[in-house]
Amino acid sequence: MRATLMYGPGDVRVETVPDTDLIEPTDAVVVVTRAAICGSDLWPYKSMEPTETGRRMGHEFIGVVDAVGDDVRTLQAGDVVVTPFVWSDGTCVFCQEGLHTSCLHGGRYGSDGVDGGQGEAVRVPQADGTLVVLPVDKDDALMPSLLTLSDVMATGHHAVLAAKVGPGKTVAVVGDGAVGLCGVLAARRLGAERIIILGHHPDRIAIAREFGATDVVSERGEEGVERVRELTDGFGAHSVLECVGLEQATITALSVARVGGAVGRVGVPQEDSIPEAERTFFDNVTIAGGPAPARAYIEELLPDVLEGRIEPGRVFDRVGPLDDVPDGYRAMNEREALKVLVEL
């Protein structure tokens, strides 16, 4: 079969690899029909240590179950399924608490002998606890939006929960990437009264407005902070979503939070420390977040996608076959594309 491997910064290749198969009785083999390139895939694309063996890539995919192990009880061949971006057993203490990303028996796609999602097939460990059966055909028109439940829509939802978004709240979203845009959609879904998007790409801002953004702040740094405060009578936002992970984005997010506000951090941190520590401490600002336990959210968000109340698949602005994945990385890295959908 063919799969995507990364060998070093900017070096992505689609190559022939051994066919995947069942190993453990709790496994399922899924033939991939849709996959995606994630913004977090760009971190190794920019900076990973070169390797001679390559690193399997991809953690967002939808597909059709091809085979299941003897201990799998909730799936059968032919099921159309979506996966969260990590696999988990669904039964450990952390899964039971809704923190599937910390599963005691879970792991990440593309490591420890598990296939990456940007390939023709994937062996999914702990299949019963991981995969969600979709009540649609594999070529349903909703596939782009359903695929976002694997990561970016679930991550946007996680951000709004961490930031305590609710009716009547003012929300500031730092970052106009796919996660930030899904954060806008998630904030509107939970009834936010005002949603301020901090970004400066016209095409992304257009989507943000469609998703529910009421205000746009294109300034950066201190100017951006000042503009948000102007829009909020000098107080700042009740809820802030940090959807980038870079230090400046984190500083901005913490600086626009009002006294007693909350910041939901879902951008993968690129620094070891949290800035603005003294001010946020004395202002009683809640700082929460982390990797989204997508498996805990998929079934909650699924009806809104199926019934057309939300359309997070709008974040995909480029579609191509598996052979185009290397160029998809380049396009996303150079800001030519927001998010790339791969059709197999």
Side-chain angles (χ1 to χ4, degrees):
M1 70 177 199
R2 295 158 65 244
T4 301
L5 291 90
M6 186 178 294
Y7 285 86
D11 187 1
V12 178
R13 313 174 198 174
V14 177
E15 298 184 334
T16 299
V17 299
D19 289 343
T20 196
D21 203 353
L22 301 171
I23 296 178
E24 301 293 338
T26 52
D27 290 347
V29 171
V30 175
V31 175
V32 178
T33 58
R34 303 288 191 288
I37 301 174
C38 183
S40 64
D41 292 333
L42 299 182
W43 296 121
Y45 184 77
K46 296 173 183 177
S47 62
M48 76 172 280
E49 290 292 325
T51 171
E52 293 184 359
T53 57
R55 168 179 166 182
R56 295 285 189 95
M57 297 303 297
H59 52 258
E60 303 163 278
F61 63 92
I62 282 175
V64 179
V65 175
D66 183 65
V68 297
D70 290 341
D71 291 349
V72 175
R73 297 289 177 263
T74 63
L75 304 159
Q76 60 185 356
D79 283 342
V80 178
V81 292
V82 62
T83 181
F85 62 87
V86 297
W87 46 271
S88 56
D89 64 14
T91 61
C92 83
V93 59
F94 295 120
C95 288
Q96 291 301 300
E97 293 174 1
L99 292 172
H100 298 72
T101 45
S102 296
C103 178
L104 295 173
H105 309 109
R108 299 181 179 278
Y109 292 109
S111 62
D112 300 322
V114 178
D115 305 289
Q118 294 164 9
E120 293 180 327
V122 177
R123 177 179 70 88
V124 179
Q126 304 292 348
D128 278 331
T130 301
L131 298 171
V132 177
V133 177
L134 298 172
V136 295
D137 182 81
K138 67 182 181 68
D139 294 318
D140 193 281
L142 291 174
M143 279 298 156
S145 288
L146 293 168
L147 181 56
T148 68
L149 301 182
S150 184
D151 188 341
V152 289
M153 185 61 210
T155 298
H157 180 68
H158 189 55
V160 300
L161 294 182
K164 303 180 181 180
V165 173
K169 296 284 187 73
T170 293
V171 181
V173 181
V174 180
D176 58 4
V179 170
L181 295 176
C182 286
V184 170
L185 189 57
R188 186 189 69 180
R189 180 177 176 272
L190 292 189
E193 181 176 299
R194 191 174 193 183
I195 304 171
I196 304 167
I197 179 76
L198 284 82
H200 60 280
H201 297 89
D203 52 341
R204 301 181 183 192
I205 295 305
I207 297 174
R209 287 200 177 278
E210 290 178 24
F211 280 2
T214 57
D215 300 90
V216 176
V217 171
S218 297
E219 296 88 347
R220 298 183 179 185
E222 293 183 6
E223 291 182 356
V225 172
E226 182 61 29
R227 181 60 182 144
V228 173
R229 292 198 169 272
E230 287 176 2
L231 291 170
T232 56
D233 298 322
F235 294 125
H238 300 95
S239 303
V240 184
L241 315 185
E242 195 291 292
C243 303
V244 181
L246 294 174
E247 183 179 32
Q248 184 56 61
T250 304
I251 292 172
T252 297
L254 296 171
S255 298
V256 301
R258 67 182 280 152
V259 171
V263 179
R265 301 179 68 208
V266 295
V268 179
Q270 301 304 300
E271 304 290 336
D272 289 334
S273 61
I274 297 178
E276 298 290 318
E278 184 175 356
R279 187 192 67 78
T280 53
F281 174 80
F282 284 104
D283 282 354
N284 280 286
V285 173
T286 299
I287 302 171
R295 184 61 183 83
Y297 301 144
I298 289 175
E299 283 149 336
E300 175 185 349
L301 297 170
L302 182 58
D304 280 6
V305 172
L306 294 175
E307 295 169 24
R309 288 188 289 271
I310 60 174
E311 191 182 354
R314 289 275 290 107
V315 299
F316 290 108
D317 59 348
R318 179 175 293 203
V319 181
L322 185 60
D323 284 337
D324 287 355
V325 165
D327 190 59
Y329 272 84
R330 180 204 59 77
M332 285 181 60
N333 187 57
E334 296 178 7
R335 300 297 180 90
E336 290 181 10
L338 168 59
K339 189 168 180 65
V340 175
L341 173 65
V342 183
E343 293 186 336
L344 292 92

